Amino acid sequence: MKTISLKSRIGADGLLKIKVPTNEKEVDVDVVVIIQPENKRKSAWPEGFFDATYGSFRKEPLKRPPQGEYPDREPLK
């Protein structure tokens, strides 16, 4: 078994045309094709994240609860 990895482009007609040279001739073979679109998105944010979350705090402003008192510590020597 031989694994061949390559990149190709699907045309506007929706056809993927692949020509793969091999050393085999006049032989029946099983061929497995896996189509996985390249992920060219550079952002770490999911698609539509900002449209779905923008303005979620407009109804009521974001409030920070009391943080308590800062404890006294020994001074550094």
Side-chain angles (χ1 to χ4, degrees), residues 4-11 15-22 31-36:
I4 299 171
S5 178
L6 58 96
K7 290 188 181 244
S8 188
R9 182 163 182 82
I10 298 175
L15 295 177
L16 174 62
K17 299 170 187 162
I18 301 174
K19 289 186 180 183
V20 180
T22 67
V31 178
V32 177
V33 177
I34 299 173
I35 298 177
Q36 181 174 348

Side-chain angles (χ1 to χ4, degrees), residues 56-67:
S56 59
F57 291 111
R58 285 187 172 195
K59 296 176 186 171
E60 186 176 309
L62 185 61
K63 295 178 184 173
R64 182 176 179 183
Q67 301 298 301

Side-chain angles (χ1 to χ4, degrees), residues 40-76:
K40 294 190 178 202
R41 187 176 55 171
K42 300 291 183 194
S43 175
W45 299 102
E47 189 73 33
F49 174 79
F50 293 105
D51 293 333
T53 59
Y54 175 75
S56 59
F57 291 111
R58 285 187 172 195
K59 296 176 186 171
E60 186 176 309
L62 185 61
K63 295 178 184 173
R64 182 176 179 183
Q67 301 298 301
E69 297 295 321
Y70 186 74
D72 288 332
R73 297 183 179 184
E74 286 187 30
L76 295 175

